Amino acid sequence: MVLDRQGYDDLIMYLTQNLALFEKSGEIKPGAPTIMELIEDDIAENVMLLCQQHTELTTEQRSQIVREVDGIVYDLQEVLSSVTSNQVTVEQHAFIDEFAALVKNLFDSAVAESA
């Protein structure tokens, strides 16, 4: 659906261009989640929103989205493996929120194209 598209390659490039955010320290709010917890929560929230907005999705399409999202989270875990258990900084939080929204946009576009 999206993993084999140019948009996903561009998204991974965007991640690599912003890796410096994960290599430096920054402000951490009290009770901040770990980087991996935030990634999982943000992406899950966006996938749920995607499915709520696209009620016409078949069970097969929903399953494909879940499989591909698992692959995306795995890719993020691999790229950020040395910092996934660190508490997220304010800057990292903003980036992860934006990244998760961009993932949703990729799926929104793919769903629209398949309709």
Side-chain angles (χ1 to χ4, degrees):
M1 187 173 263
V2 301
L3 294 180
D4 59 351
R5 293 181 179 224
Q6 181 62 43
Y8 184 66
D9 293 341
D10 294 341
L11 191 60
I12 294 300
M13 181 63 71
Y14 179 63
L15 172 64
T16 59
Q17 291 169 347
N18 287 280
L19 282 178
L21 281 174
F22 297 93
E23 296 169 355
K24 62 181 181 177
S25 59
E27 178 188 353
I28 298 174
K29 291 188 176 181
T34 66
I35 291 171
M36 199 65 224
E37 289 169 340
L38 182 63
I39 288 170
E40 290 171 345
D41 289 350
D42 270 8
I43 290 184
E45 186 177 303
N46 276 282
V47 169
M48 287 188 286
L49 183 59
L50 172 79
C51 291
Q52 289 170 352
Q53 291 173 338
H54 297 281
T55 56
E56 75 281 2
L57 289 171
T58 65
T59 301
E60 183 179 315
Q61 288 170 315
R62 290 173 191 264
S63 295
Q64 183 179 7
I65 289 168
V66 169
R67 282 191 305 274
E68 290 200 9
V69 165
D70 284 345
I72 292 168
V73 171
Y74 178 81
D75 288 348
L76 288 169
Q77 193 171 15
E78 287 295 305
V79 170
L80 300 173
S81 62
S82 65
V83 297
T84 55
S85 61
N86 295 351
Q87 282 187 297
V88 69
T89 68
V90 172
E91 296 86 3
Q92 292 164 350
H93 197 295
F95 176 81
I96 292 168
D97 287 350
E98 180 183 12
F99 190 90
L102 290 171
V103 168
K104 180 187 176 292
N105 288 347
L106 282 177
F107 283 102
D108 279 329
S109 295
V111 169
E113 287 175 17
S114 69

